[in-house]
């Protein structure tokens, strides 16, 4: 495993583990996954040196936090535990009470990273950051983070908090490179971290799926990326991943992760549906892409133009009512 030094003697693994899948109906992995496989995934991740574990109060309505906390056991104290508040009522007393509830579900004395899940569209961050400040003062929260924030709003959150907001968790993969515009340069120059979610584009970049083999669950049925036309369009990118993968005796998924964490300010939190996947994902931290390979992947990704927005809507509706 490789680690990112975030200051104050704290290092976090470049490949973490995302746990939206744990206990969430929308991923459709079922009871034995929530009851057994998820635990085995966490235990194996710890063995492999993964220290960044990401969850949220809304994942499975608290079930993900419970499953993760129970699986970590005493290791809760030595890993970097990250959870999120969904800011429906972002006033300081609510933030404080929700942090305590998350810590209780996780069985943790401290939340190493407490993130605002997404910007509240009507309430600015002054009130939520007042709660965060109080939580940091009493030691329940280590670092504050945000998620799905623009650069302007990330900076405004820092101003409201009065100290660094360590990270911004955003979608970042070869299928969506928008954070490169301003978030990555800011993070690199200011010593902040971009936590890449959906680094495998929810499995698309593994190359397992095509128009005749589409994943069946609510998350991906609702994603334009998995429409048959877009799966066709992704063929060239998957082929580019395969070529690089062959050169490293690796898989396309591993190369997709190695590409994401090649940027010095980025860590990735892939989810996993099996222990085999978590092993493969952790091993991706050891893959060093050459400049030529990195460039070839950048070019293939620039050629990938999925149908999105209103143009994709009719396909999504057809898929939903089929
Ligand atoms: N902050 C936010 O708003 C936000 C939003 C989304 C996600 N997240 C966080 O980010 C985490 C990861 O994002 P995500 O789950 O959306 O997408 P992802 O990590 O890109 O994709 C995860 C899925 O890819 C497949 N996969 C994983 N490893 C693989 C491997 N080695 N080989 C082949 N397939 C593999 C698995 O699905 P199959 O095996 O079923 O194909 C797995 O469920 C989440 O768990 C969550 O913690 C945060």
């Amino acid at each position: 495993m490789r680690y990112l030094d975030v200051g104050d003697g704290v290092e976090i693994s470049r490949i973490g583990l995302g746990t939206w899948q744990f206990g969430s109906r929308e991923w459709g992995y079922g009871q034995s996954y929530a009851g057994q496989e998820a635990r085995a995934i966490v235990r194996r991740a710890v063995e492999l040196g993964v220290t960044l574990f990401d969850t949220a109060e809304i994942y499975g309505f608290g079930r993900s936090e419970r499953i993760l906390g129970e699986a970590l056991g005493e290791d809760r104290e030595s890993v970097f535990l990250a959870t999120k508040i969904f800011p429906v009522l972002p006033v300081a007393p609510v933030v404080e009470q929700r942090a305590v509830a998350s810590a209780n579900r996780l069985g943790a004395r401290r939340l190493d990273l407490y993130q605002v899940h997404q910007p509240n569209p009507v309430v600015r961050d002054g009130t939520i950051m007042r709660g965060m400040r109080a939580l940091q003062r009493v030691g329940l929260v280590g670092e504050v983070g945000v998620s799905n924030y623009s650069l302007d709003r990330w900076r405004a959150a820092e101003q409201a908090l009065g100290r660094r907001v360590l990270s911004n968790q955003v979608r970042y993969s070869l299928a969506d490179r928008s954070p490169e515009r301003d978030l990555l340069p800011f993070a690199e120059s200011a010593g902040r971290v971009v936590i890449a979610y959906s680094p495998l584009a929810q499995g698309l970049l593994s190359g397992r799926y095509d128009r005749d083999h589409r994943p069946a669950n609510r998350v991906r049925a609702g994603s334009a990326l998995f429409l048959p036309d877009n799966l066709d369009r992704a063929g060239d990118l998957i082929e580019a991943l395969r070529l690089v993968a062959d050169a490293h005796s690796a898989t396309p998924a591993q190369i997709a992760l190695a590409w994401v964490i090649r940027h010095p300010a980025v860590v990735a939190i892939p989810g996993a549906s099996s222990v085999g996947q978590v092993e493969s994902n952790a091993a991706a931290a050891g893959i060093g892409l050459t400049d030529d390979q990195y460039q070839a992947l950048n070019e293939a990704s620039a050629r990938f133009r999925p149908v999105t927005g209103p143009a994709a809507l009719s396909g999504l509706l057809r898929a939903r009512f089929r």
Side-chain angles (χ1 to χ4, degrees):
M1 183 50 64
R2 283 191 294 130
Y3 297 87
L4 181 66
D5 185 345
V6 295
D8 297 336
V10 178
E11 290 195 324
I12 56 179
S13 56
R14 300 295 299 269
I15 297 286
L17 178 68
T19 66
W20 176 15
Q21 284 77 356
F22 292 8
S24 301
R25 290 230 171 89
E26 58 270 29
W27 276 92
Y29 289 156
Q31 273 311 314
S32 70
Y33 176 83
Q36 289 137 47
E37 190 75 7
R39 183 177 197 287
I41 286 170
V42 172
R43 295 311 316 157
R44 190 70 183 121
V46 170
E47 280 170 13
L48 294 168
V50 171
T51 59
L52 171 59
F53 290 84
D54 179 74
T55 181
E57 62 177 5
I58 58 162
Y59 295 164
F61 303 106
R63 278 193 294 275
S64 170
E65 289 181 327
R66 279 200 195 88
I67 293 169
L68 177 61
E70 192 274 326
L72 283 171
E74 295 306 305
D75 289 317
R76 278 181 296 245
E77 308 305 324
S78 51
V79 302
F80 193 77
L81 207 44
T83 191
K84 311 183 200 81
I85 176 169
F86 203 78
V88 182
L89 191 59
V91 296
V94 173
V95 175
E96 292 159 27
Q97 174 253 316
R98 300 266 283 278
V100 171
S102 277
N104 283 343
R105 282 189 293 271
L106 283 158
R109 277 204 293 267
R110 173 186 148 105
L111 306 172
D112 297 301
L113 178 66
Y114 198 34
Q115 307 157 100
V116 185
H117 206 138
Q118 57 180 57
N120 185 300
V122 285
V123 186
R124 283 197 287 184
D125 291 319
T127 50
I128 204 164
M129 290 304 158
R130 204 169 310 130
M132 291 290 192
R133 226 173 13 247
L135 289 165
Q136 283 187 307
R137 208 177 307 122
V138 298
L140 183 62
V141 164
E143 298 282 350
V144 173
V146 291
S147 175
N148 300 305
Y149 270 45
S150 67
L151 179 56
D152 283 350
R153 192 135 179 189
W154 188 358
R155 283 192 160 129
E158 295 212 326
Q159 213 147 38
L161 184 66
R163 57 186 289 189
R164 74 175 182 180
V165 168
L166 177 65
S167 56
N168 192 356
Q169 185 178 132
V170 291
R171 184 184 298 123
Y172 183 47
S173 75
L174 277 161
D176 183 347
R177 294 170 57 191
S178 40
E180 290 175 7
R181 274 199 299 271
D182 54 5
L183 297 179
L184 296 193
F186 168 72
E188 187 173 5
S189 65
R192 305 290 187 268
V193 182
V194 166
I195 300 181
Y197 75 69
S198 305
L200 297 170
Q202 301 193 321
L204 176 88
L205 298 174
S206 71
R208 279 173 69 189
Y209 300 110
D210 58 38
R211 73 158 49 234
D212 300 319
H213 304 93
R214 294 172 60 204
N217 67 33
R218 262 197 284 149
V219 171
R220 294 179 283 201
S223 161
L225 274 184
F226 290 89
L227 288 172
D229 283 353
N230 284 338
L231 288 166
D232 290 347
R233 286 171 184 234
D236 174 47
L237 175 55
I238 306 282
E239 202 37 50
L241 281 165
R242 281 217 171 91
L243 266 177
V244 179
D246 287 347
H248 287 271
S249 303
T251 65
Q254 288 179 309
I255 300 303
L257 293 176
W259 178 89
V260 167
I261 60 166
R262 197 171 191 261
H263 191 284
V266 178
V267 298
I269 47 165
S273 65
S274 66
V275 171
Q277 286 184 352
V278 86
E279 289 173 343
S280 161
N281 297 345
I287 298 175
L289 301 177
T290 65
D291 290 344
D292 285 352
Q293 290 168 340
Y294 190 63
Q295 197 46 36
L297 293 169
N298 286 342
E299 284 164 16
S301 131
R303 289 193 297 272
F304 176 48
R305 299 261 165 76
V307 181
T308 56
L313 197 60
S314 61
L316 286 172
L317 288 172
R318 261 200 315 278
R320 178 158 177 77
F321 294 112
R322 188 172 295 140

